[in-house]
Amino acid sequence: MSITIKTAEDLPALRVAARLGAELLDYLTPHVKAGVTTREIDRLAHDYIVNVQQGIPAPLNYCPPGYTPYPASICTSVNQVVCHGIPNDRALKDGDVVNIDVTVIKDGWHGDTSRMFMIGKVPPHVERLCRVTYEAMWQGIVRVRPGARLGDIGHAIQTFAESAGYSVVREFCGHGIGRKFHEEPQVLHYGRAGTLEELRPGMVFTIEPMINAGRREIREMPDGWTIVTKDRSLSAQWEHMVLVTETGYEVLTVSPGTPAPPDFVASR
Ligand code: MF3
Ligand code: CO
Ligand code: CO
């Protein structure tokens, strides 16, 4: 297997799938509040994808080697949950942070994106973790251009997150995406500049750093999916899909509700 290059014929449909992922997060946003259970959010997402977007929720029954089928349509990762949180009957409460990670399949193409949501009033250290993680994702995105290397992305993210006093999860990474949910290459969120695969126009991959407030070690819960921080510290994650263009990058997972890039992006 190798890295697929998306052609001018592929891109319109891939852009649509990516936009649907972002629009799904827009749709969910007003529902993500104290008192709502993540199972209710999952149901809203499932029905919106199937009935409104006329797509397929990629996570539902997704079953990579060594896993049991994933039992929901989205991932909801609350507080110390790093990723792959399974929606459940616990209500969100004031001060929680939750990552909602969605993947829509439309006409055979995948759109994968996630955002952080702060419930009610959160303490400043929680807000800072979410903001720094968002900026870390963008530190990776702005490195994307032909001739750059995957290691440049990981290095930028790691340097930024660690200089803020946080740690980078190693066991999960970004990934190529297209007709398959998870394709080559793996996009590590740590590493050395100038190493690994050279980026070429037409590559499409996610950048989705998981950043922990404490140590980087993780544990898998007995459900076989939910990943938590070993030290129970908070964890945050954001995810975009990025196309390598002839001159730089194009973020594909955009919608009216997509947060603006950080200030350092506009000024480059
Ligand atoms: N959306 C996740 C990612 O960004 C993958 C979730 S796999 C699932 O790669 F089965 F848990 F949904
Ligand atoms: Co995702
Ligand atoms: Co992904």
Side-chain angles (χ1 to χ4, degrees):
M1 279 305 299
S2 58
I3 301 175
T4 61
I5 297 295
K6 277 70 181 182
T7 66
E9 288 73 53
D10 298 331
L11 287 173
L14 184 53
R15 284 196 182 93
V16 168
R19 176 169 48 77
L20 291 180
E23 288 177 354
L24 172 61
L25 290 175
D26 291 358
Y27 165 72
L28 294 174
T29 297
H31 298 281
V32 185
K33 57 187 186 191
V36 177
T37 70
T38 47
R39 195 185 301 280
E40 287 164 344
I41 298 168
D42 179 60
R43 167 55 71 99
L44 287 166
H46 176 275
D47 291 353
Y48 192 78
I49 294 167
V50 171
N51 299 326
V52 178
Q53 298 184 323
Q54 301 192 308
I56 298 166
L60 190 57
N61 296 315
Y62 185 59
C63 194
Y67 283 78
T68 55
Y70 188 76
S73 296
I74 61 173
C75 298
T76 53
S77 300
V78 179
N79 297 337
Q80 75 279 4
V81 179
V82 173
C83 64
H84 303 167
I86 299 172
N88 62 25
D89 291 317
R90 176 188 171 285
L92 295 171
K93 62 174 197 311
D94 206 60
D96 283 344
V97 280
V98 56
N99 172 278
I100 299 186
D101 191 342
V102 303
T103 307
V104 176
I105 308 173
K106 181 72 175 180
D107 296 332
W109 295 93
H110 290 73
D112 184 9
T113 184
S114 82
R115 298 179 193 158
M116 293 303 292
F117 296 83
M118 296 181 278
I119 308 302
K121 202 168 139 57
V122 306
H125 73 273
V126 179
E127 192 278 331
R128 180 175 179 266
L129 175 67
C130 294
R131 176 171 44 80
V132 168
T133 302
Y134 185 66
E135 291 174 359
M137 172 183 70
W138 272 100
Q139 289 287 350
I141 291 172
V142 298
R143 263 62 188 189
V144 173
R145 60 175 175 76
R149 290 179 176 270
L150 284 174
D152 300 341
I153 298 172
H155 176 77
I157 292 170
Q158 180 180 18
T159 306
F160 184 78
E162 291 182 353
S163 67
Y166 300 140
S167 64
V168 178
V169 170
R170 307 292 175 104
E171 291 83 351
F172 298 92
C173 54
H175 50 93
I177 184 166
R179 289 194 178 275
K180 295 207 200 112
F181 195 167
H182 295 104
E183 302 181 351
E184 289 181 40
Q186 295 192 47
V187 181
L188 304 181
H189 303 116
Y190 61 93
R192 281 186 20 235
T195 66
L196 303 174
E197 187 83 23
E198 187 173 316
L199 306 186
R200 282 173 286 136
M203 289 181 179
V204 176
F205 48 80
T206 69
I207 298 179
E208 49 179 305
M210 284 140 276
I211 305 297
N212 297 349
R215 296 175 56 84
R216 67 176 174 84
E217 287 78 13
I218 58 168
R219 280 181 43 185
E220 185 182 294
M221 300 296 278
D223 64 24
W225 278 102
T226 306
I227 303 296
V228 297
T229 55
K230 199 171 180 184
D231 64 7
R232 297 282 163 159
S233 65
L234 289 180
S235 187
Q237 180 177 28
W238 291 80
E239 176 174 21
H240 266 317
M241 283 168 55
V242 182
L243 164 70
V244 184
T245 66
E246 296 293 335
T247 55
Y249 65 85
E250 176 185 334
V251 175
L252 301 182
T253 33
V254 289
S255 63
T258 303
D263 287 343
F264 70 80
V265 176
S267 63
R268 280 171 71 94

